[in-house]
Amino acid sequence: MATVEERAESGGRRVSEQLLKTFFREMLLIRRFEEKVEERFRAGELPGFLHVAIGQEAVATGVCAALERDDVIASTHRAHGHAIAKGTSVERIMAELYGKLEGCSHGYGGSMHLYDVEVGNLGANAVVAGGIPGIVGAALAFLMRGEPRVAVAFFGDGATNTGTFHESLNLAQLWKVPAIFVLENNGWAESTPATQQLPLPVDELARRALAYGMKTIEADGQDVEAVYLAALAAREHAAAGKGPVLLHLRTYRLTGHYVGDPQVYRDRAELKGERETKDPVELLRARLQLTDEGLAAIDAQVTAEVEASVEFAKAGTDPSPEDAAKYVYA
Amino acid sequence: MPELTYREAVRDALARALREDESVFLMGEDIAEMGGSMAVTQGLLAEFGPKRIRNTPISEIAIVGSGIGAAIQGMRPVVEIMYEDFLTLSMEQLVNQAAKHRTMSGGQVTVPLTIRTQGGAGWSPGAQHAQQLEAWFVHVPGLKVVFASTPEDARGLLWSSIYDDNPVVFFEHRTLYPLKGDVPDRLEPIPLGKARVHREGEDVTVVATGRLVHEALKAAEEAGTEGISVEVVDPRTLQPLDEETIVASVRKTTRCVTAHEAVVRGGFGAELAAVIQHGAFDWLDAPIERVGAKFAPLPFAPAMEQWVVPHAEDVLEAIRRTVARG
Ligand SMILES: Cc1ncc(C[n+]2csc(CCOP(=O)(O)OP(=O)(O)O)c2C)c(N)n1
Ligand SMILES: [Mg+2]
């Protein structure tokens, strides 16, 4: 089969130490935010249910760093990292999880429906693959109006089994819209491993885009630099009018599917091994050769930011019951 | 009589059918190792193996569609759609294929398929994880629609659904899974199309489905303390509908409230009201009151969610309104 995969390194670019440190800070912020969310959920303070993306921080940070402010994203049920990386403050996300009016969706959305249109977050989606077609449409609007913007859909390996995904990729390629499809491949759909949901090897999932003649770019989803460079290349391609790109990032879900998931289906030793060798925050820390003090200083900052977000959220305003009917129609 | 939870009752019907009949098998997302997202199918993989407890990819249209195909070939598949919100994705196969093969083929084809799904609010899942869409399916000739509200009903009705030769959409309510109830040792199939009178009364009939059956029973208790005698009827199957029992009840009480968690507008209560006004027109002493969710997608924040969905107090107020008409 003709290979159209392109390794990120082929761009021949390098990422400055300074930028990598910025990435590190953001990834650690996402990590600490989600750990706090788990803690507050277990304490019974957060309604509903939650999915964290611990282990997948490099995807959110690397992809969103490659985007322009005007570019838009659609996120998934595992949304916190995407939202933070696209520019929503942790305060407003935390307030959303507490169901407050100050939240980024004003208490209407919750964890799986984080919106922030001002920074280009068109919304997280609780329906698997639900956001993908809308990204094709957003990209179509950019194309029709000649705007130099791209539209980006995040989704998981499980989502590639939906008709929604396949129809969207076909249409996007047919019309050559400036879209990037970010396949965040953690090898699991809830409790279902790749072997029970994919008839092809998990690492070769990008092949699905080949059926549509779509350009694919792949990178190690645990390596933020690789993700960033790959996303830059994808953006360049899409924005240049050359058509959409499937950006395949192999990553690892280092926690349960949802907060509280006992993961009865998961091999403990394997998970332990992944935690030890695949943690993107640890990998970047090693790469940057951060000293304990250096790490502690950054950690203290982001931890304080997260703590402040909880205070902000708790001090927020509860919607009144009748507000429920406020936004049913425009 | 052993006590089972609603969840165990559903599982019991599935396990017995699987044990008894090789043509029965399950398909759905995360139903194997994890035992389903609501833990209904827990333990079934161990007993029946992966050939019959089939974990599927996230492919709602193919899950239902392949269920239809296998059913036509003489299997009795029971497929699970994790949340009824995702049944919207299966709609084409259900509405255009499953419901119509029998008629389109001039009676050559039967589709003995059961589609289990669940939904329901009260736990802040947000707008895409708690809808109550049962009325949509009642509108489609060729489908049967079941909504069980107690453990005994869940087991007996699921059994009948599996052995019905038509496609049956079987709704479970998320908040009822832990509910306990006595269930006979012997599995008694409950025929589709038979309502259950949960409580007899003289003044008002509440026709309720799903979670609202329990809210109606609470409201009836409370109304009793106010001197209002309430009869509570659960149709249990929305299609076919036991019009006879429902109409007879309203002819006796002369007043009626319908109650479900789904939105009022275009909800199953509208169909009930039409059937009742036609069958009991000369007996009615008050307009039929409809209780259901307000006309809004379900918001996340608990205060707003609670406001949207109906509770026992809403049923009680509706009961009082019918009585106030004299
Ligand atoms: C259409 C649809 N079917 C099923 C679900 C239930 N569900 C939520 S997340 C999930 C697994 C998604 O897997 P993947 O796309 O790989 O994303 P990940 O959870 O791994 O991030 C499932 C089955 C859903 N939300 N929407
Ligand atoms: Mg996945």
Side-chain angles (χ1 to χ4, degrees), chain B:
Chain B
M1 263 216 236
E3 207 182 39
L4 293 185
T5 63
Y6 183 92
R7 174 184 284 112
E8 289 163 345
V10 173
R11 185 187 302 145
D12 193 47
L14 292 172
R16 288 185 194 226
L18 282 158
R19 239 166 254 147
E20 212 157 276
D21 185 344
E22 279 294 320
S23 69
V24 174
F25 71 100
L26 312 189
M27 291 195 281
E29 293 159 19
D30 301 289
I31 65 166
E33 280 85 355
M34 194 166 97
S37 128
M38 297 298 136
V40 169
T41 54
Q42 242 168 39
L44 299 185
L45 176 69
E47 183 175 352
F48 301 104
K51 225 174 111 189
R52 297 179 72 203
I53 310 297
R54 305 186 77 92
N55 232 20
T56 65
I58 308 171
S59 305
E60 281 79 8
I61 194 160
I63 295 168
V64 169
S66 59
I68 294 169
I72 292 172
Q73 295 310 318
M75 304 297 280
R76 288 197 181 271
V78 183
V79 305
E80 175 176 309
I81 298 296
M82 194 187 282
Y83 285 80
E84 62 189 87
D85 310 71
F86 314 149
L87 213 44
T88 56
L89 289 154
S90 319
M91 228 35 185
E92 191 287 311
Q93 288 291 310
L94 256 177
V95 173
N96 297 322
Q97 311 300 333
K100 296 184 171 55
H101 278 313
R102 179 91 188 143
T103 293
M104 292 192 299
S105 67
Q108 297 174 70
V109 171
T110 55
V111 187
L113 169 67
T114 305
I115 300 108
R116 289 182 44 244
T117 191
Q118 62 82 34
W123 53 290
S124 290
Q128 297 174 335
H129 269 73
Q131 297 173 79
Q132 295 276 273
L133 302 176
E134 66 277 2
W136 294 14
F137 301 89
V138 179
H139 192 63
V140 181
L143 298 180
K144 293 191 177 181
V145 182
V146 178
F147 198 172
S149 66
T150 68
E152 185 183 352
D153 287 354
R155 193 179 70 170
L157 288 165
L158 181 54
W159 183 270
S160 297
S161 301
I162 295 170
Y163 285 100
D164 196 283
D165 280 337
N166 298 285
V168 180
V169 190
F170 189 92
F171 288 94
E172 296 159 22
H173 196 286
R174 154 113 190 192
T175 65
L176 297 181
Y177 284 124
L179 180 80
K180 286 188 178 149
D182 288 335
V183 177
D185 280 322
R186 270 199 37 177
L187 193 153
E188 293 290 347
I190 297 173
L192 306 187
K194 283 301 292 171
R196 179 194 283 272
V197 178
H198 271 276
R199 170 195 166 110
E200 296 195 13
E202 302 301 322
D203 302 324
V204 185
T205 298
V206 181
V207 186
T209 57
R211 178 178 67 84
L212 265 287
V213 171
H214 304 280
E215 299 297 295
L217 288 168
K218 277 185 235 163
E221 213 38 58
E222 189 63 31
T225 67
E226 298 173 16
I228 309 170
S229 163
V230 177
E231 180 146 314
V232 176
V233 181
D234 176 1
R236 304 192 292 191
T237 57
L238 312 189
Q239 176 60 37
L241 179 65
D242 184 355
E243 299 188 12
E244 207 181 306
T245 300
I246 294 165
V247 167
S249 171
V250 178
R251 285 185 181 186
K252 177 180 75 175
T253 60
T254 75
R255 294 175 185 83
C256 181
V257 172
T258 68
H260 49 59
E261 189 181 298
V263 288
V264 172
R265 174 80 74 204
F268 189 65
E271 179 63 23
L272 285 170
V275 165
I276 292 162
Q277 74 81 23
H278 193 267
F281 186 76
D282 291 328
W283 284 262
L284 279 172
D285 282 329
I288 297 165
E289 290 286 335
R290 289 191 284 156
V291 173
K294 298 193 176 66
F295 201 61
L298 209 65
F300 167 67
M304 295 195 285
E305 185 196 39
Q306 287 307 300
W307 184 81
V308 170
V309 299
H311 309 281
E313 306 85 77
D314 301 291
V315 181
L316 182 60
E317 278 166 28
I319 290 170
R320 289 188 188 126
R321 283 197 297 276
T322 62
V323 175
R325 292 282 296 208

Side-chain angles (χ1 to χ4, degrees), chain A residues 77-78 126 128 156-159 186 188-190 257, chain B residues 29 60 86 89:
Chain A
H77 54 285
R78 213 174 288 293
V128 167
D157 44 305
N186 61 16
W188 289 95
E190 295 211 8
H257 169 63
Chain B
E29 293 159 19
E60 281 79 8
F86 314 149
L89 289 154

